[in-house]
């Protein structure tokens, strides 16, 4: 009997901890700008109350509470679609309040998308979220079975709420796995797919252990403006991963413009490999090497060469190309240096056919 008398404590403690977390998020959000065209919390209070009630009836209690306390997370435009994360995926989260805020923003879109709208889209379509321009992608669309997956996560409770400017769906889990360690490494802690300017999927956010850092490299290159090289690297990544050589660490030289993206696949892979070393060398380590020292690349029989600029600064150059963004990204296994232009490969074959 003594044990059963404390049955009520668990939900009370849970509710209090959730509210405290959301209050922390609310405090962090007070500086968010609000456009004149956006509805105020007072004017949409009845709508939020109905939406929260619908969420609770479907078992999404945490999102229901959050929607009432800090609707600013989800509503930053005249229309909004919310993808509600299950309570079980949030309750035990150890993330800080601002990381949780980013997670929730990544599950909201400034577009109004009912299940009918989602089913009209094709597989590989992307659409924006409220988190810093990050997109999500439709990875499965089956109109006949009325099945939609976003970032490989099933929309398990479609159309929980459809009223005016607000649409809410329930999903089976988060669209991304967040690791706070990536923040300290300079990586994006939201693992979003890469989409082109036409909102078509270019590269999925792969979570496989063996390639997770490559995926972060591709996303980082894209976010830093090295889009064409990121697309080229993603196109040939399977070939690099299938290579018999075991890569424990690499150095990537990334050019801002990479016109070889449209080249034949064999040539593209050869040129991308020419920009990657099978070992990690920071800028200081490269600078310590003597002039004319050779650097083996992933392209067989094609090496790079250390060169020094003939001027007062003695700038470090590789194959007469300047490193303009040294150590742009660095982890235990990778380092990326931004270079002023792509390296020229010795004898390029004639690709016209």
């Amino acid at each position: 009997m003594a044990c059963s008398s404390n049955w009520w404590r668990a939900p009370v403690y849970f509710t209090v901890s959730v509210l405290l977390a959301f209050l922390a998020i609310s405090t962090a959000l007070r500086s968010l700008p609000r456009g004149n065209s956006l509805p105020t919390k007072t004017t949409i209070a009845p709508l939020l109350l109905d939406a929260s009630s619908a969420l609770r009836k479907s078992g999404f209690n945490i999102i229901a509470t959050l929607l009432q306390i800090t609707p600013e997370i989800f509503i930053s435009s005249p229309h909004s679609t919310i993808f509600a994360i299950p309570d079980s995926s949030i309750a035990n989260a150890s993330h800080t309040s601002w990381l949780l805020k980013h997670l929730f923003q990544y599950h909201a879109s400034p577009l109004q998308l009912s299940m009918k709208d989602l089913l009209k889209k094709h597989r590989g379509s992307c659409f924006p979220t409220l988190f810093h321009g990050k997109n999500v992608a439709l990875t499965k669309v089956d109109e006949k079975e009325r099945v939609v997956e976003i970032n490989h996560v099933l929309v398990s409770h479609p159309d929980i709420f459809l009223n005016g400017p607000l649409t809410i769906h329930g999903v089976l889990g988060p669209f991304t796995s967040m690791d706070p360690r990536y923040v300290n490494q300079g990586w994006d802690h939201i693992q979003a797919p890469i989409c082109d300017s036409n909102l078509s999927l270019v590269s999925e956010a792969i979570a496989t252990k063996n390639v997770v850092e490559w995926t972060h490299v591709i996303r980082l290159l894209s976010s830093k403006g090295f889009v064409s090289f990121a697309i080229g690297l993603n196109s040939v990544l399977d070939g690099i991963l299938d290579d018999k050589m075991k890569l424990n660490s690499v150095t990537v030289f990334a050019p801002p413009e990479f016109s070889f993206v449209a080249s034949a696949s064999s040539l593209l892979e050869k040129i991308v490999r020419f920009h990657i070393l099978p070992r990690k060398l920071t800028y200081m380590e490269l600078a310590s090497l003597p002039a004319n020292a050779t650097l083996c690349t992933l392209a067989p029989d094609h090496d790079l060469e250390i060169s020094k600029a003939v001027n007062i600064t003695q700038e470090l150059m590789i194959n007469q190309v300047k490193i303009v963004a040294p150590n742009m990204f660095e982890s235990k296994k990778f380092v990326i240096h931004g270079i002023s232009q792509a390296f020229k490969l010795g004898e390029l074959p004639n690709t016209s056919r």
Side-chain angles (χ1 to χ4, degrees), residues 27-319:
T27 301
L29 284 170
R30 294 192 188 280
S31 61
L32 282 179
R34 177 177 288 277
N36 293 330
S37 62
L38 302 183
T40 64
K41 187 174 179 180
T42 303
T43 59
I44 62 172
L47 183 69
L48 296 177
L49 186 62
D50 291 343
S52 296
S53 176
L55 281 164
R56 287 193 179 90
K57 288 179 181 178
S58 297
F60 296 89
N61 297 295
I62 295 180
I63 298 298
T65 304
L66 179 58
L67 185 59
Q68 286 190 285
I69 296 177
T70 54
E72 299 90 351
I73 292 179
F74 305 105
I75 301 173
S76 67
S77 63
H79 300 279
S80 298
T81 299
I82 299 171
F83 297 94
I85 310 171
D87 292 355
S88 58
S89 298
I90 307 171
N92 298 319
S94 59
H95 306 306
T96 61
S97 60
W98 67 271
L99 281 175
L100 283 174
K101 180 192 74 173
H102 292 172
L103 179 67
F104 295 134
Q105 287 179 321
Y106 188 59
H107 288 74
S109 174
L111 305 179
Q112 192 162 16
L113 298 166
S114 66
M115 186 63 170
K116 183 178 179 181
D117 296 326
L118 292 172
L119 288 169
K120 288 180 180 179
K121 293 182 175 292
H122 60 82
R123 181 180 178 275
S125 298
C126 300
F127 56 89
T129 71
L130 299 187
F131 178 64
H132 300 319
K134 295 289 185 182
N135 298 311
V136 292
L138 291 169
T139 48
K140 184 175 182 179
V141 178
D142 190 328
E143 190 172 5
K144 184 178 179 181
E145 298 294 330
R146 293 188 61 79
V147 172
V148 170
E149 290 185 3
I150 299 172
N151 288 14
H152 296 289
V153 176
L154 178 69
V155 178
S156 54
H157 296 69
D159 297 338
I160 288 178
F161 186 78
L162 290 171
N163 192 344
L166 184 60
T167 300
I168 303 177
H169 308 288
V171 292
L172 203 58
F175 291 154
T176 178
S177 58
M178 293 176 60
D179 190 336
R181 293 175 301 173
Y182 296 160
V183 180
N184 297 329
Q185 293 288 350
W187 295 349
D188 293 333
H189 48 284
I190 295 289
Q191 299 177 21
I194 299 172
C195 305
D196 61 20
S197 58
N198 297 317
L199 289 180
S200 295
L201 183 63
V202 173
S203 173
E204 294 185 18
I206 307 170
T208 307
K209 184 176 180 180
N210 292 335
V211 296
V212 63
E213 288 199 24
W214 279 109
T215 308
H216 279 289
V217 166
I218 292 170
R219 283 202 301 273
L220 181 81
L221 288 169
S222 180
S223 67
K224 294 294 185 181
F226 298 85
V227 177
S228 56
F229 185 72
I231 293 173
L233 176 58
N234 182 71
S235 300
V236 303
L237 186 56
D238 287 343
I240 294 176
L241 294 174
D242 289 340
D243 203 318
K244 294 180 180 179
M245 183 191 310
K246 184 178 180 180
L247 294 175
N248 293 318
S249 61
V250 298
T251 300
V252 179
F253 297 101
E257 299 294 334
F258 197 65
S259 59
F260 303 101
V261 169
S263 303
S265 58
S266 57
L267 176 60
L268 176 60
E269 181 169 351
K270 189 174 185 179
I271 297 175
V272 170
R273 285 173 173 267
F274 189 48
H275 288 73
I276 303 174
L277 311 180
R279 57 184 293 201
K280 176 187 171 184
L281 289 173
T282 64
Y283 185 81
M284 289 298 294
E285 290 170 330
L286 288 169
S288 67
L289 296 174
N292 303 320
T294 57
L295 302 170
C296 294
T297 71
L298 295 187
D301 303 320
H302 290 277
D303 298 335
L304 296 171
E305 185 176 280
I306 296 287
S307 50
K308 308 280 186 177
V310 185
N311 55 30
I312 298 175
T313 60
Q314 286 290 297
E315 294 173 322
L316 174 65
M317 304 178 76
I318 309 292
N319 274 30

